[in-house]
PDB file of all heavy atoms in Angstrom:
ATOM      1  N   MET B  15     -45.429 -28.205 -22.438  1.00 96.00           N
ATOM      2  CA  MET B  15     -45.813 -26.968 -21.762  1.00 96.00           C
ATOM      3  C   MET B  15     -47.034 -26.338 -22.420  1.00 96.00           C
ATOM      4  O   MET B  15     -47.945 -25.863 -21.749  1.00 96.00           O
ATOM      5  CB  MET B  15     -44.625 -25.995 -21.739  1.00 96.00           C
ATOM      6  CG  MET B  15     -43.515 -26.429 -20.787  1.00 96.00           C
ATOM      7  SD  MET B  15     -41.938 -25.649 -21.124  1.00 96.00           S
ATOM      8  CE  MET B  15     -42.224 -24.016 -20.518  1.00 96.00           C
ATOM      9  N   ILE B  16     -47.035 -26.345 -23.755  1.00 96.00           N
ATOM     10  CA  ILE B  16     -48.178 -25.748 -24.454  1.00 96.00           C
ATOM     11  C   ILE B  16     -49.452 -26.531 -24.137  1.00 96.00           C
ATOM     12  O   ILE B  16     -50.499 -25.942 -23.850  1.00 96.00           O
ATOM     13  CB  ILE B  16     -47.923 -25.682 -25.985  1.00 96.00           C
ATOM     14  CG1 ILE B  16     -46.811 -24.668 -26.271  1.00 96.00           C
ATOM     15  CG2 ILE B  16     -49.204 -25.290 -26.728  1.00 96.00           C
ATOM     16  CD1 ILE B  16     -46.435 -24.528 -27.728  1.00 96.00           C
ATOM     17  N   SER B  17     -49.352 -27.861 -24.125  1.00 95.00           N
ATOM     18  CA  SER B  17     -50.592 -28.605 -23.874  1.00 95.00           C
ATOM     19  C   SER B  17     -51.034 -28.434 -22.428  1.00 95.00           C
ATOM     20  O   SER B  17     -52.240 -28.351 -22.150  1.00 95.00           O
ATOM     21  CB  SER B  17     -50.470 -30.076 -24.285  1.00 95.00           C
ATOM     22  OG  SER B  17     -49.392 -30.649 -23.618  1.00 95.00           O
ATOM     23  N   LYS B  18     -50.092 -28.335 -21.500  1.00 95.00           N
ATOM     24  CA  LYS B  18     -50.440 -28.054 -20.105  1.00 95.00           C
ATOM     25  C   LYS B  18     -51.161 -26.704 -20.015  1.00 95.00           C
ATOM     26  O   LYS B  18     -52.200 -26.566 -19.372  1.00 95.00           O
ATOM     27  CB  LYS B  18     -49.154 -28.074 -19.262  1.00 95.00           C
ATOM     28  CG  LYS B  18     -49.220 -27.621 -17.833  1.00 95.00           C
ATOM     29  CD  LYS B  18     -50.129 -28.402 -16.923  1.00 95.00           C
ATOM     30  CE  LYS B  18     -49.820 -29.855 -16.749  1.00 95.00           C
ATOM     31  NZ  LYS B  18     -50.905 -30.629 -16.144  1.00 95.00           N
ATOM     32  N   ALA B  19     -50.597 -25.718 -20.680  1.00 96.00           N
ATOM     33  CA  ALA B  19     -51.172 -24.375 -20.642  1.00 96.00           C
ATOM     34  C   ALA B  19     -52.577 -24.372 -21.245  1.00 96.00           C
ATOM     35  O   ALA B  19     -53.511 -23.783 -20.686  1.00 96.00           O
ATOM     36  CB  ALA B  19     -50.274 -23.403 -21.390  1.00 96.00           C
ATOM     37  N   LYS B  20     -52.733 -25.077 -22.357  1.00 96.00           N
ATOM     38  CA  LYS B  20     -54.050 -25.133 -23.015  1.00 96.00           C
ATOM     39  C   LYS B  20     -55.072 -25.773 -22.090  1.00 96.00           C
ATOM     40  O   LYS B  20     -56.208 -25.293 -21.957  1.00 96.00           O
ATOM     41  CB  LYS B  20     -53.966 -25.939 -24.310  1.00 96.00           C
ATOM     42  CG  LYS B  20     -53.397 -25.156 -25.472  1.00 96.00           C
ATOM     43  CD  LYS B  20     -53.460 -26.028 -26.714  1.00 96.00           C
ATOM     44  CE  LYS B  20     -52.787 -25.367 -27.894  1.00 96.00           C
ATOM     45  NZ  LYS B  20     -52.539 -26.331 -28.971  1.00 96.00           N
ATOM     46  N   ALA B  21     -54.678 -26.862 -21.432  1.00 96.00           N
ATOM     47  CA  ALA B  21     -55.603 -27.567 -20.539  1.00 96.00           C
ATOM     48  C   ALA B  21     -56.029 -26.657 -19.392  1.00 96.00           C
ATOM     49  O   ALA B  21     -57.213 -26.588 -19.036  1.00 96.00           O
ATOM     50  CB  ALA B  21     -54.929 -28.828 -19.996  1.00 96.00           C
ATOM     51  N   LEU B  22     -55.079 -25.929 -18.811  1.00 96.00           N
ATOM     52  CA  LEU B  22     -55.408 -25.066 -17.669  1.00 96.00           C
ATOM     53  C   LEU B  22     -56.248 -23.865 -18.094  1.00 96.00           C
ATOM     54  O   LEU B  22     -57.069 -23.363 -17.328  1.00 96.00           O
ATOM     55  CB  LEU B  22     -54.125 -24.606 -16.961  1.00 96.00           C
ATOM     56  CG  LEU B  22     -53.388 -25.707 -16.174  1.00 96.00           C
ATOM     57  CD1 LEU B  22     -52.001 -25.247 -15.780  1.00 96.00           C
ATOM     58  CD2 LEU B  22     -54.176 -26.125 -14.936  1.00 96.00           C
ATOM     59  N   LEU B  23     -56.021 -23.418 -19.330  1.00 96.00           N
ATOM     60  CA  LEU B  23     -56.860 -22.325 -19.853  1.00 96.00           C
ATOM     61  C   LEU B  23     -58.278 -22.841 -20.079  1.00 96.00           C
ATOM     62  O   LEU B  23     -59.260 -22.204 -19.720  1.00 96.00           O
ATOM     63  CB  LEU B  23     -56.290 -21.805 -21.176  1.00 96.00           C
ATOM     64  CG  LEU B  23     -55.206 -20.727 -21.143  1.00 96.00           C
ATOM     65  CD1 LEU B  23     -54.717 -20.468 -22.561  1.00 96.00           C
ATOM     66  CD2 LEU B  23     -55.673 -19.429 -20.511  1.00 96.00           C
ATOM     67  N   ALA B  24     -58.360 -24.050 -20.656  1.00 95.00           N
ATOM     68  CA  ALA B  24     -59.656 -24.621 -21.014  1.00 95.00           C
ATOM     69  C   ALA B  24     -60.519 -24.902 -19.790  1.00 95.00           C
ATOM     70  O   ALA B  24     -61.721 -24.626 -19.788  1.00 95.00           O
ATOM     71  CB  ALA B  24     -59.449 -25.896 -21.829  1.00 95.00           C
ATOM     72  N   ASP B  25     -59.916 -25.441 -18.711  1.00 94.00           N
ATOM     73  CA  ASP B  25     -60.754 -25.752 -17.545  1.00 94.00           C
ATOM     74  C   ASP B  25     -60.926 -24.551 -16.600  1.00 94.00           C
ATOM     75  O   ASP B  25     -61.484 -24.673 -15.511  1.00 94.00           O
ATOM     76  CB  ASP B  25     -60.250 -26.998 -16.801  1.00 94.00           C
ATOM     77  CG  ASP B  25     -58.924 -26.754 -16.081  1.00 94.00           C
ATOM     78  OD1 ASP B  25     -58.527 -25.585 -15.936  1.00 94.00           O
ATOM     79  OD2 ASP B  25     -58.284 -27.732 -15.659  1.00 94.00           O
ATOM     80  N   GLY B  26     -60.443 -23.409 -17.034  1.00 93.00           N
ATOM     81  CA  GLY B  26     -60.701 -22.178 -16.283  1.00 93.00           C
ATOM     82  C   GLY B  26     -59.833 -21.978 -15.054  1.00 93.00           C
ATOM     83  O   GLY B  26     -60.052 -21.052 -14.282  1.00 93.00           O
ATOM     84  N   THR B  27     -58.819 -22.835 -14.851  1.00 94.00           N
ATOM     85  CA  THR B  27     -57.912 -22.646 -13.710  1.00 94.00           C
ATOM     86  C   THR B  27     -57.202 -21.297 -13.820  1.00 94.00           C
ATOM     87  O   THR B  27     -57.031 -20.585 -12.841  1.00 94.00           O
ATOM     88  CB  THR B  27     -56.849 -23.769 -13.657  1.00 94.00           C
ATOM     89  OG1 THR B  27     -57.513 -25.014 -13.800  1.00 94.00           O
ATOM     90  CG2 THR B  27     -56.072 -23.743 -12.348  1.00 94.00           C
TER      91      THR B  27
END
Side-chain angles (χ1 to χ4, degrees):
Chain B
M15 289 161 74
I16 292 179
S17 56
K18 171 61 61 195
K20 280 184 186 165
L22 289 167
L23 274 175
D25 70 14
T27 312

